[in-house]
Each structure stands twice: as structure tokens, then as C-alpha cells.
Amino acid sequence: MRITLLDLGVGNLHSLGKALARVADGSEVAIETDLARAVETDLLVFPGVGAFSAAASRLAAGRDALRAAVAGGLPCLGICIGMQLLFDASDEGPGEGLSLFAGRVTRLKTARAPHMGWSPIRPQPGAPEWVSHGARGVYYAHSFACRPSEPEVVLATTELDGDTVAAIVKKGRVAGCQFHPEKSSTDGMALLGGIVRELVA
């Protein structure tokens, strides 16, 4: 299996690449900057540390091609900013997301932002078993959160000072994590492995 990390200039590629290689044993993990070549893969991953606008700007030229590839069945995973790019747009700044999930990214409704550190996630009814690996806590680093228009796509949530945040979303062969599974110790790696296996099954 080939896994491709799309380099948008905003991601922590090294640690995520190592994590993906570990949970998808025997898979090739490549980093790609060219949007056209990035879709020639078995799993496309949008990593995320940084600002929505900068990443959306890098995606703009290949937005239609990426959407067409996903419509054709290409599995995709977005992490942190990568998850936010799967939605329509963000209050953080201008730029279009991929609109693979309906909804908007808005600032956290918390007294303090960014939210940085460990928080447990709550699996939603009917969520796959692998979601439960985040119940003891996963690592977050974000000031904005996705607000899906379709509640059924939410597999898990996190409560932050009374703000219910979508922690994991999935629709078809596309998924997103607002947290960083690659920085979430053993449980995070187990969760990441579960996501990868389900998307490429």
C-alpha cells in the first residue's frame, strides 16, 4: 500500500510519516508537493499544523482534481488543519476548503485558546471500536474547530469548557481527526491504525 502525505507547507510531516509507516506495516509512505501526483496513491493524508488560509491557498489549484479523486473512491485522512480543510471554509481567514464535509470551521467557544494538551474523546453511538482508543485522552493543539452540518458524520466529540467539538468525522472513505494521533502515545497509534485500516479496506 502507498500512503501519500500532501506537503502544504503547514504540516509536521516527519512524525506523522513515521507514525503512518508504523501502523500500516509494510506500506510505503511518501511526501508529495505536486497535487496531481498526490492523488496517485492508496491513501492521501492532509497533515496539519498552521493556518487554514495558507493551506487552502496551496490547495486552490488542485481543488477540483482532489474532489474528483475522492468522488472516484480515493481514501483521504485529514489531521488538525488537514481535517479543517475537508470542510467548506473557516473563520480563521479567507480561502475555500474541499467541501468534502458540509460545515464551517469557527473559533473555539472557550475562555482560553489555543487548546493545547490532552483531552478525552467521547465515541458517538454506533462508532467503530477503534474510536474508543481515544477515551483516555488525545493530544490537541488548535484554536478553531469544525462545525459539521450533518451530525451523522461525527464519530466522536470532545468537551472543552462547555463547547462540544467534533473530534473525529467520517463519511464514506474520508475521515478527519481534530487532534494529533501521532502525538497521542500508544492509544493514539492504535486509533490511527484503526482509521487507516477502515479507510483502505
Side-chain angles (χ1 to χ4, degrees):
M1 180 172 69
R2 179 180 173 87
I3 300 173
T4 299
L5 283 169
L6 184 57
D7 184 359
L8 298 171
V10 296
N12 184 0
L13 302 177
H14 181 68
S15 62
L16 180 55
K18 286 178 63 176
L20 287 165
R22 182 176 166 189
V23 300
D25 187 38
S27 296
E28 174 190 358
V29 179
I31 296 172
E32 183 57 72
T33 58
D34 185 281
L35 295 171
R37 287 200 297 264
V39 299
E40 297 172 358
T41 190
D42 299 306
L43 173 64
L44 179 60
V45 180
F46 300 91
V49 176
F52 181 93
S53 293
S57 177
R58 294 283 293 271
L59 277 180
R63 184 176 184 272
D64 291 343
L66 287 170
R67 284 177 55 79
V70 171
L74 175 64
C76 288
L77 171 63
I79 294 174
C80 198
I81 290 293
M83 170 172 161
Q84 295 175 13
L85 289 169
L86 304 178
F87 284 77
D88 296 321
S90 175
D91 288 352
E92 186 179 7
E96 288 185 87
L98 292 170
S99 296
L100 300 175
F101 293 94
R104 190 171 182 90
V105 180
T106 69
R107 185 173 289 278
L108 288 171
K109 303 170 187 175
T110 56
R112 290 186 299 170
H115 166 225
M116 297 191 69
W118 295 78
S119 294
I121 66 173
R122 179 183 302 165
Q124 298 300 287
E129 185 277 333
W130 51 261
V131 176
S132 66
H133 289 294
R136 291 191 295 184
V138 290
Y139 185 79
Y140 283 90
H142 65 126
S143 298
F144 290 80
C146 302
R147 313 294 181 179
S149 300
E150 304 163 300
E152 65 271 17
V153 305
V154 180
L155 297 187
T157 61
T158 293
E159 290 289 328
L160 304 173
D161 295 338
D163 188 7
T164 302
V165 171
I168 304 174
V169 294
K170 181 178 178 292
K171 182 165 64 173
R173 304 186 80 182
V174 181
C177 297
Q178 182 59 70
F179 54 91
H180 289 272
E182 78 280 10
K183 297 181 181 180
S184 299
S185 193
T186 304
D187 287 341
M189 294 296 287
L191 197 152
L192 181 62
I195 295 173
V196 170
R197 286 190 292 273
E198 180 152 327
L199 290 178
V200 301

